[in-house]
Amino acid sequence: QLIPMTSLFFMLAYVNTIIDSLKDSLVITAVGGGTEVLPYLSTYAVLPSSVLFLVLYSWATKNLSREKIFNVVVGCFMLFYGGFAVLYPHHEVMHSSSFADWLLSALPNGLAGFVGMVRNWMFTAFYCVSELWGDVLLSLLFWGLANETTSIEDAPLLYPLFGIGANIAQTCAGRSLRLVGELSSPWLSYSQQIQLTVAICVAMGVAIVGVHTHIVRTFERNPKGSAIDRKRRRERLAARGEANG
């Protein structure tokens, strides 16, 4: 159980580190963007999207199994990131510059950050979805799975070890971003580098679904006793079955 769960945590944290770095750079370096946009994003974009997800998740828990919820959520994230990668080269055309210019002239100067959020709506959507990834996949769904497949006796030993995967993932993700920038810069444009980075996250999402499916189908739910005790019980039951046979 240690290796699959640690691998799952590694991949979730790997994607989280990459998109967390990418979302900030997109918003801050965009035309009409900057650090003044971030407070407006947190209040008027991330908060409403979090509430919306909470409503949808509450409905899903009543109608779907935990395995389906996990796969559907990851699938929706990967579908969004795949669409973003395809549309990113055309973001200058798709962003509402004329409407944003009108807002900028009509609103006080102190609301320039809000106008920047509206102007770069694709990056705003990417920022919101990327914020949800860490809260939903890492904090909610992964630890829900861990609680469901790990006994109370094994938790003190395994839970700290799961975190090793996340720590390694942060280092690997940082090196991956650096390699993408260094190795592809002579041949790929900045837009293509963004597409390549997001494509890596999408590929990792496919692997996440595969590992999660393996965990759900392999390990029992709500186990009682430590893994060693459960193994010994299975061996005793098997021995009794052979003796009776």
Side-chain angles (χ1 to χ4, degrees), residues 197-219:
T197 303
V198 177
I200 293 173
C201 294
V202 173
M204 195 67 72
V206 176
I208 287 171
V209 173
V211 174
H212 174 262
T213 302
H214 168 74
I215 292 172
V216 171
R217 296 181 179 178
T218 303
F219 303 108

Side-chain angles (χ1 to χ4, degrees), residues 41-153:
L41 283 171
S42 300
T43 304
Y44 300 108
V46 176
L47 180 59
S49 61
S50 300
V51 173
L52 176 61
F53 175 83
L54 180 61
V55 173
L56 295 175
Y57 182 78
S58 300
W59 175 87
T61 54
K62 299 176 182 178
N63 297 276
L64 301 174
S65 64
R66 185 182 293 274
E67 177 183 4
K68 290 183 179 179
I69 292 175
F70 189 99
N71 292 338
V72 168
V73 170
V74 174
C76 290
F77 273 101
M78 294 304 109
L79 184 63
F80 172 84
Y81 287 134
F84 180 86
V86 172
L87 295 175
Y88 178 79
H90 314 287
H91 69 273
E92 294 181 356
V93 178
M94 300 181 66
H95 284 168
S96 51
S97 299
S98 58
F99 178 67
D101 292 337
W102 177 81
L103 279 179
L104 193 61
S105 62
L107 296 177
N109 294 332
L111 294 178
F114 176 79
V115 175
M117 180 186 73
V118 175
R119 180 192 301 271
N120 303 303
W121 61 268
M122 278 185 59
F123 299 162
T124 297
F126 187 91
Y127 190 96
C128 293
V129 173
S130 300
E131 280 286 322
L132 286 176
W133 175 274
D135 296 335
V136 174
L137 271 302
L138 282 173
S139 302
L140 180 62
L141 295 182
F142 174 82
W143 288 113
L145 176 66
N147 293 335
E148 196 174 66
T149 57
T150 306
S151 66
I152 297 177
E153 291 78 6

Side-chain angles (χ1 to χ4, degrees), residues 131-205:
E131 280 286 322
L132 286 176
W133 175 274
D135 296 335
V136 174
L137 271 302
L138 282 173
S139 302
L140 180 62
L141 295 182
F142 174 82
W143 288 113
L145 176 66
N147 293 335
E148 196 174 66
T149 57
T150 306
S151 66
I152 297 177
E153 291 78 6
D154 288 334
L157 173 64
L158 295 179
Y159 280 14
L161 297 178
F162 293 162
I164 295 177
N167 294 333
I168 298 176
Q170 293 177 352
T171 302
C172 293
R175 291 185 177 275
S176 298
L177 289 172
R178 181 178 178 181
L179 287 174
V180 168
E182 291 180 351
L183 299 181
S184 62
S185 55
W187 302 282
L188 300 179
S189 64
Y190 181 74
S191 295
Q192 291 172 327
Q193 292 180 32
I194 295 293
Q195 290 178 309
L196 176 60
T197 303
V198 177
I200 293 173
C201 294
V202 173
M204 195 67 72

Side-chain angles (χ1 to χ4, degrees), residues 17-33:
T17 303
I18 288 182
I19 61 177
D20 191 58
S21 301
L22 190 58
K23 68 177 177 62
D24 290 333
S25 63
L26 288 174
V27 170
I28 293 175
T29 61
V31 176

